[in-house]
Amino acid sequence: PAIDSTGLNALYDVVKRTRHDGTRVLLTEVRERVRRVIVRSRLGDLLEPDAITDTLEEALASLRSPENAAARAAWRAPPAP
């Protein structure tokens, strides 16, 4: 399984819109090949550092993690147009 440019662009648009609304997007159980593509793309620049996790449990833990609060607060700054 892979992701093409159409999928990346669609996902980028979703993340950008939800981020503007203050909603976090977390991706879980992303295959390594797709993860590498996402991280190297403009989508990777838009996602929070802990937005891609191996499991749903890790994603949920990142939502509750107090040590990530500062990073999440900085991330919520509106993206440049």
Side-chain angles (χ1 to χ4, degrees), residues 6-78:
T6 302
L8 273 175
N9 286 331
L11 194 51
Y12 177 87
D13 290 342
V14 167
V15 171
K16 190 171 181 179
R17 278 194 313 267
T18 58
R19 181 175 174 179
H20 183 266
D21 295 338
T23 302
R24 295 179 69 199
V25 173
L26 301 176
L27 306 175
T28 66
E29 300 186 29
V30 177
R31 296 186 185 242
E32 187 56 37
R33 181 176 175 187
V34 174
R35 182 188 297 237
R36 284 194 308 265
V37 171
I38 290 171
V39 168
R40 288 192 304 244
S41 73
R42 65 185 185 139
L43 175 58
D45 296 335
L46 188 61
L47 289 169
E48 293 177 70
D50 62 346
I52 303 176
T53 62
D54 291 328
T55 66
L56 178 59
E57 291 78 17
E58 288 176 6
L60 294 174
S62 78
L63 292 173
R64 299 181 196 110
S65 172
E67 54 271 357
N68 288 329
R72 285 193 304 273
W75 171 84
R76 289 185 183 188

